[in-house]
Amino acid sequence: MQQSQRRDKQDWLNLFEQQKQSGLTAVEFCRQQQINVQTYYTRRRDIRLQRTSSKFIQVKREVTKVKSYTKETDSELLLQLGNAQLSVPTNMSPHWVATVMKALAE
């Protein structure tokens, strides 16, 4: 390929693979292929960035609502969520415990 000819993405991918297979450093490979080293590194970075950004998937965050009730028994709280039940000291945060129970029930 002549120096003045523009390479497309596939041409660059082929060159990157050839360099990897050659066992040569990028500088040595570029010297042999008469490729500007700075251009080689720039194209490699750009293509890597394109690949990374194209794999980005936006995830919609779901908010979990927890319904819980407490029943005080002496110095403990009895928390129930569905079939799950947990008895904890009264100084424990009921919301935190309900969240844990929900996670365990899944």
Side-chain angles (χ1 to χ4, degrees), residues 25-65:
T25 66
V27 173
E28 293 167 336
F29 180 80
C30 289
R31 193 172 293 132
Q32 280 187 2
Q33 299 296 317
Q34 297 179 339
I35 299 170
N36 180 295
V37 177
Q38 188 59 44
T39 302
Y40 179 89
Y41 283 125
T42 300
R43 296 294 174 255
R44 188 169 71 177
R45 184 199 68 221
D46 292 348
I47 289 173
R48 283 181 179 166
L49 287 174
Q50 287 173 1
R51 285 183 171 179
T52 322
S53 64
S54 66
K55 291 181 182 178
F56 178 75
I57 299 172
Q58 187 170 2
V59 177
K60 185 177 180 179
R61 190 180 114 189
E62 293 183 24
V63 177
T64 302
K65 295 183 180 184

Side-chain angles (χ1 to χ4, degrees), residues 73-87:
T73 59
D74 296 325
S75 63
E76 292 184 339
L77 293 173
L78 178 64
L79 299 175
Q80 293 180 322
L81 178 62
N83 293 332
Q85 181 175 318
L86 183 62
S87 178

